[in-house]
């Protein structure tokens, strides 16, 4: 895990350096966000299968919030991006007089390149000196990878504890569209799929967002994000099966330059 995170960090530094060296024609967006995550699905650890059922109240009660960061840089049509988030999802329930407390950890690191199909590069279009200017519709295609770290633990009373973890990289292809609703409000849709037995059996990531321009070059972001992964590795006591959908609201802030 540590080695993979170091490689990922090095990759971000290389991409950022290359982009920053691209001259005045480059536009950038840097943001921080918080994701309130609830999870639903099935996890199998050490031969035992656990159902994961979380409501919105579980997110607040258990403090299942993850902190993430995002960067993207664009030239005229081509761009690069990197996005990372780490979060946990904890809950508890009773089944057949057995108290079960599943604890899930999820780390995602997305990276890759994108190409603008319609309109202007998003970072360039949103980097406005004058808030009275219209933001054009834009659609871009992106291709890259997603490093995923999964950890699943379960405590049951009576019973005991079981746990395992895994890390893998999925190839990812997706599309993103920005659609202006007003001069200072933008609707965004993003969707991608990955895995296809290369890393996971299948993974998908979707988000819908409203971006609100609150000041020159500053945007506040309100999103709802879904991430679904179907993954299996190991056998016997070392087996981990992870078929879970993580979803929840995202609040963030972005600076364009």
């Amino acid at each position: 895990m540590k080695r993979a995170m170091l490689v990922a960090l090095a990759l971000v530094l290389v991409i950022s350096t290359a982009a920053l060296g691209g001259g005045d024609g480059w536009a950038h967006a840097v943001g921080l966000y918080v994701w309130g995550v609830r999870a639903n699905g099935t996890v199998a650890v050490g031969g035992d299968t656990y159902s994961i059922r979380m409501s919105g109240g579980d997110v607040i009660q258990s403090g299942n919030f993850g902190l993430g960061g995002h960067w993207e840089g664009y030239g005229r049509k081509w761009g690069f991006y990197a996005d990372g988030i780490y979060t946990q999802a904890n809950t508890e329930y009773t089944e057949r007089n057995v108290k079960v407390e599943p604890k899930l950890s999820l780390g995602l690191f997305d990276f890759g390149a994108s190409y603008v199909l319609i309109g202007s590069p998003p970072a360039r279009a949103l980097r406005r000196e004058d808030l009275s200017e219209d933001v054009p519709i834009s659609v871009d295609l992106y291709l890259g990878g997603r490093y995923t770290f999964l950890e699943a633990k379960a405590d049951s009373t009576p019973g005991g504890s079981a746990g395992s973890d895994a890390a893998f990289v999925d190839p990812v292809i997706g599309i993103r569209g920005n659609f202006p609703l007003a001069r200072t409000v933008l609707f965004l849709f993003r969707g991608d799929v990955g895995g296809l037995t290369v890393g996971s059996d299948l993974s998908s990531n979707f988000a819908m967002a409203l971006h609100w321009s609150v000041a020159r070059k500053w945007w506040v972001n309100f999103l709802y994000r879904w991430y679904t992964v179907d993954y299996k590795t190991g056998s016997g006591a070392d087996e981990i099966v992870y078929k879970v959908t993580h979803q929840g609201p995202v609040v963030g802030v972005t600076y364009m330059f």
Side-chain angles (χ1 to χ4, degrees):
M1 168 93 176
K2 291 182 178 180
R3 181 178 298 178
M5 293 302 289
L6 288 174
V7 172
L9 178 60
L11 180 62
V12 173
L13 292 175
V14 169
I15 293 176
S16 301
T17 301
L20 290 171
D24 295 335
W26 280 82
H28 303 269
V30 178
L32 293 174
Y33 61 89
V34 175
W35 187 16
V37 181
R38 62 188 182 95
N40 293 277
T42 302
V43 172
V45 180
D48 295 322
T49 301
Y50 302 93
S51 296
I52 308 300
R53 305 185 298 269
M54 294 184 62
S55 65
D58 292 326
V59 175
I60 299 175
Q61 182 178 357
S62 302
N64 298 330
F65 295 95
L67 178 64
H70 178 84
W71 166 83
E72 61 183 76
Y74 273 93
R76 293 185 179 275
K77 287 291 185 179
W78 286 96
F80 299 96
Y81 67 90
D83 186 285
I85 177 75
Y86 178 81
T87 186
Q88 294 181 320
N90 306 325
T91 187
E92 63 179 55
Y93 62 90
T94 300
E95 187 173 89
R96 297 180 182 179
N97 296 322
V98 176
K99 182 180 179 182
V100 182
E101 298 180 76
K103 300 176 181 179
L104 310 179
S105 297
L106 173 68
L108 300 174
F109 180 77
D110 291 80
F111 56 91
S114 56
Y115 181 78
V116 178
L117 302 175
I118 300 173
S120 302
R124 182 185 301 280
L126 300 181
R127 188 188 61 179
R128 298 179 298 163
E129 299 293 337
D130 184 358
L131 293 181
S132 66
E133 296 178 5
D134 290 330
V135 177
I137 293 175
S138 66
V139 177
D140 59 321
L141 180 72
Y142 58 94
L143 178 67
R146 177 182 296 120
Y147 169 82
T148 302
F149 169 76
L150 300 173
E151 184 177 33
K153 298 180 180 180
D155 298 325
S156 57
T157 307
S161 300
S164 187
D165 62 73
F168 54 90
V169 176
D170 282 339
V172 171
I173 183 170
I175 192 167
R176 177 178 61 169
N178 294 284
F179 306 94
L181 301 180
R183 291 188 184 276
T184 59
V185 180
L186 192 71
F187 173 78
L188 175 145
F189 172 81
R190 172 181 174 177
D192 61 59
V193 295
L196 303 177
T197 71
V198 176
S200 64
D201 291 336
L202 180 67
S203 65
S204 60
N205 181 66
F206 297 95
M208 293 188 297
L210 285 177
H211 296 317
W212 177 31
S213 181
V214 295
R216 187 168 65 91
K217 300 184 180 181
W218 286 95
W219 292 74
V220 176
N221 321 118
F222 304 96
L223 299 83
Y224 198 91
R225 180 180 182 181
W226 296 262
Y227 171 70
T228 300
V229 60
D230 186 346
Y231 179 77
K232 179 181 179 180
T233 187
S235 61
D238 296 325
E239 182 185 51
I240 178 171
V241 177
Y242 201 98
K243 298 180 179 180
V244 178
T245 296
H246 298 260
Q247 62 176 299
V250 179
V251 178
V253 60
T254 301
Y255 178 72
M256 313 286 180
F257 62 99

